[in-house]
Amino acid sequence: MLGGQAWYYQQIIRLAGDEEADPDLGILKAVGAYVKDELSRAFLTRRARLIAR
């Protein structure tokens, strides 16, 4: 289930960035990219909150 969600998430991110969808994107690669994106966004959010104090 997470693999499918990650795959669709990555396709939406690609479309939002004016790229074409990649139907050949593998599930494992999509999960890896999804986890990387989420950790990156969490780090940036935490850093922004610390700076705003």
Side-chain angles (χ1 to χ4, degrees):
M1 184 179 249
L2 175 63
Q5 177 183 345
W7 189 88
Y8 281 105
Y9 177 83
Q10 290 305 311
Q11 300 301 339
I12 292 168
I13 295 298
R14 289 178 62 84
L15 293 171
D18 290 333
E19 297 179 60
E20 290 187 23
D22 181 7
D24 296 326
L25 179 65
I27 295 292
L28 291 177
K29 189 173 179 182
V31 169
Y34 174 78
V35 170
K36 180 183 171 193
D37 288 346
E38 290 298 307
L39 291 174
S40 162
R41 291 175 203 276
F43 173 78
L44 292 174
T45 300
R46 181 171 171 78
R47 192 170 98 189
R49 287 181 180 162
L50 290 173
I51 291 171
R53 286 185 182 180

